[in-house]
Amino acid sequence: SDRTEVDISGMITGKRGVKYAGRDVEAMSAIAKAAATRSLKEYEAVLVKYPHELQDDLLIKHHLGTLQEQLLESNLIRIIEPYSCVEIEHVASLIDMPLVVIEKKLSQMILDGKFNGILDQGKGQLVVYEDADSDKAMEKGLKVIENMDKVVTSLFSRSDALRSMMI
């Protein structure tokens, strides 16, 4: 990430980059720095500092929204990684975001398969499971059932053909 920052600052201060200097380039540079450090706080501060440059263009706004989601996910994974069970409120306080937003994002990440766990909203906890290795017996059993389905379908079509020949 240090190399990326050097590359970006080199492009901005280089001979060709100087003619594009301005608030737009400063805003993009600040976003790149926040993304490199994976800092949501810094990212949100840049959005507040440069609202016109970053929010008026729909394409930039869309990509920044995607970047924000990725930053949130990576920060959440980094926070919950050492735990097998953690209070959602604690996670929300560590990341300094509203509890409702964190609950929604965690449930979306569980449904998307980003990590294996459940939200126990009664206790206000996130229970994280170890990554389960795929069950080979289950996979082979499903393959057998799939093959048996093909066999039964084939036999059924043959019996229909024989019946039609006898009539």
Side-chain angles (χ1 to χ4, degrees):
S1 88
D2 288 340
R3 186 169 187 265
T4 306
E5 289 178 42
V6 170
D7 290 345
I8 291 172
S9 66
M11 285 190 289
I12 293 170
T13 58
K15 189 166 71 173
R16 294 189 177 163
V18 172
K19 67 180 176 181
Y20 299 108
R23 283 189 55 85
D24 292 337
V25 175
E26 286 175 26
M28 288 298 177
S29 176
I31 287 290
K33 184 177 180 228
T37 59
R38 290 175 31 181
S39 170
L40 264 175
K41 285 229 181 281
E42 193 176 328
Y43 176 86
E44 289 170 353
V46 171
L47 288 180
V48 169
K49 186 175 179 181
Y50 300 101
H52 171 69
E53 291 81 1
L54 299 174
Q55 299 295 322
D56 289 351
D57 187 318
L58 291 178
L59 181 66
I60 292 173
K61 186 177 182 177
H62 169 74
H63 285 290
L64 289 178
T66 304
L67 177 62
Q68 185 171 16
E69 291 296 314
Q70 290 172 345
L71 284 173
L72 179 57
E73 285 180 7
S74 68
N75 281 316
L76 284 173
I77 288 172
R78 187 177 63 206
I79 288 171
I80 65 173
E81 197 171 38
Y83 299 103
S84 61
C85 182
V86 64
E87 290 187 7
I88 302 168
E89 190 173 314
H90 177 66
V91 174
S93 69
L94 286 175
I95 207 160
D96 197 23
M97 291 185 79
L99 180 66
V100 177
V101 172
I102 297 302
E103 279 183 346
K104 182 179 176 187
K105 188 61 182 176
L106 288 172
S107 66
Q108 179 187 359
M109 289 171 68
I110 290 170
L111 291 173
D112 290 345
K114 305 279 171 123
F115 67 90
N116 194 8
I118 60 167
L119 286 174
D120 186 346
Q121 291 180 322
K123 294 181 181 177
Q125 295 177 338
L126 169 69
V127 181
V128 181
Y129 300 127
E130 293 293 322
D131 288 335
D133 293 332
S134 61
D135 188 2
K136 297 292 181 189
M138 177 72 158
E139 289 177 17
K140 289 183 179 184
L142 289 173
K143 196 73 156 168
V144 167
I145 291 171
E146 183 181 328
N147 289 335
M148 288 299 293
D149 180 51
K150 290 177 184 175
V151 169
V152 170
T153 303
S154 173
L155 289 173
F156 186 73
S157 64
R158 287 182 182 180
S159 70
D160 277 348
L162 284 175
R163 275 195 197 136
S164 65
M165 289 173 62
M166 295 178 108
I167 295 178

